[in-house]
Amino acid sequence: LAGHDQVAQDNTLDIPFFCQPLTYHSPQTNHPPTCDGIVQPGEWDDAQRIDISNVTYSGHEQFNSFVAYVKNDSSYIYLALDAIADSTNDPNRFCMYFDDDNDGRFDLDSSEGGIIFTHDFNGVSDTLQFQAVIDTPIDLWQPPNFQLLPPIFLHGWKSGYAKNGRHAQWEIAVPLGNAKPQYVSAKVGDTVGLMLLYQDSFQQGE
């Protein structure tokens, strides 16, 4: 993660995506996205593009059916998801679970967890929530061996969902820092763990 703009160095925030054996570099940007839910041409050209269609290597997902983008500046991690395979008009969720210190577990102090972005098909009740996760010392990242705390609603965040080209797209700016548990506590040179979850056609109340 790049520091002050006047520092001439190319430090990046490394984000290993869950179920993928590689570490991806989040480039520094001087062009933050609008975060209106529409992945505009050129808006994410300076981001890391990651095909997450076949993260389980099962062969059931078509490549380029789900594409993630990531970049950062000194204040935010910017994430976008282009769910090319999702053309249905139904409730969806895009969840981002951050392991701030990348130690393979969620901390016991409830300072780590997930950003849950829920879209209702009528577009009226779209919500953004943070849900802290408490891991056990035994099983790392393996449900149901960690505890989910009650979610809290997030207001005023830069985020957006849209049906663009008849498929779902998501954009969000996740604040950096340790002022609040829902922020990602990261500094220059850090590596952050990230688990992505996309839930399509879920029933309300799940």
Side-chain angles (χ1 to χ4, degrees), residues 1-2 12-17 24-29 31-35 44 47-48 50 68-81 94 96-101 113 115 117 128 157-160 170-177 182-188 190-196:
L1 177 65
T12 57
L13 182 68
D14 298 337
I15 301 182
F17 278 68
Y24 296 95
H25 301 278
S26 173
Q28 180 189 7
T29 183
H31 305 284
T34 306
C35 290
W44 294 88
Q48 174 72 260
I50 307 164
Y69 298 88
V70 61
K71 57 183 178 178
N72 69 271
D73 57 22
S74 59
S75 300
Y76 296 95
I77 297 175
Y78 300 102
L79 283 164
L81 178 67
F94 177 34
M96 300 142 276
Y97 289 89
F98 288 94
D99 176 15
D100 294 7
D101 54 10
I115 308 297
F117 194 169
L128 197 63
W157 280 42
K158 303 174 183 178
S159 62
W170 311 70
E171 294 179 318
I172 187 171
V174 180
L176 294 169
Q182 57 266 36
Y183 293 0
V184 174
S185 181
K187 62 183 185 301
V188 172
D190 281 354
T191 300
V192 175
L194 175 62
M195 179 174 66
L196 297 180

Side-chain angles (χ1 to χ4, degrees), residues 72-195:
N72 69 271
D73 57 22
S74 59
S75 300
Y76 296 95
I77 297 175
Y78 300 102
L79 283 164
L81 178 67
D82 194 356
I84 300 167
D86 184 5
S87 59
T88 57
N89 192 23
D90 53 16
N92 306 308
R93 279 196 187 117
F94 177 34
C95 305
M96 300 142 276
Y97 289 89
F98 288 94
D99 176 15
D100 294 7
D101 54 10
N102 196 40
D103 63 352
R105 67 178 67 192
F106 296 108
D107 289 348
L108 297 176
D109 62 0
S110 71
S111 63
E112 297 176 332
I115 308 297
I116 303 169
F117 194 169
T118 303
H119 168 72
D120 190 354
F121 70 93
N122 60 21
V124 175
S125 57
D126 292 359
T127 59
L128 197 63
Q129 297 173 294
F130 171 75
Q131 187 169 38
V133 183
I134 298 178
D135 200 357
T136 67
I138 302 174
D139 296 298
L140 310 182
W141 293 84
Q142 298 298 317
N145 297 307
F146 51 74
Q147 178 184 355
L148 298 174
L149 300 186
I152 60 173
F153 285 94
L154 304 175
H155 302 285
W157 280 42
K158 303 174 183 178
S159 62
Y161 168 91
K163 281 284 188 178
N164 187 26
R166 297 186 178 180
H167 59 267
Q169 292 185 336
W170 311 70
E171 294 179 318
I172 187 171
V174 180
L176 294 169
N178 56 12
K180 297 181 180 180
Q182 57 266 36
Y183 293 0
V184 174
S185 181
K187 62 183 185 301
V188 172
D190 281 354
T191 300
V192 175
L194 175 62
M195 179 174 66

Side-chain angles (χ1 to χ4, degrees), residues 8-21:
Q9 56 185 4
D10 185 25
N11 293 314
T12 57
L13 182 68
D14 298 337
I15 301 182
F17 278 68
F18 188 63
C19 291
Q20 293 211 23

Side-chain angles (χ1 to χ4, degrees), residues 38-53:
I38 302 176
V39 180
Q40 299 280 8
E43 187 178 26
W44 294 88
D45 284 356
D46 59 343
Q48 174 72 260
R49 180 186 186 276
I50 307 164
D51 186 344
I52 58 172
S53 311

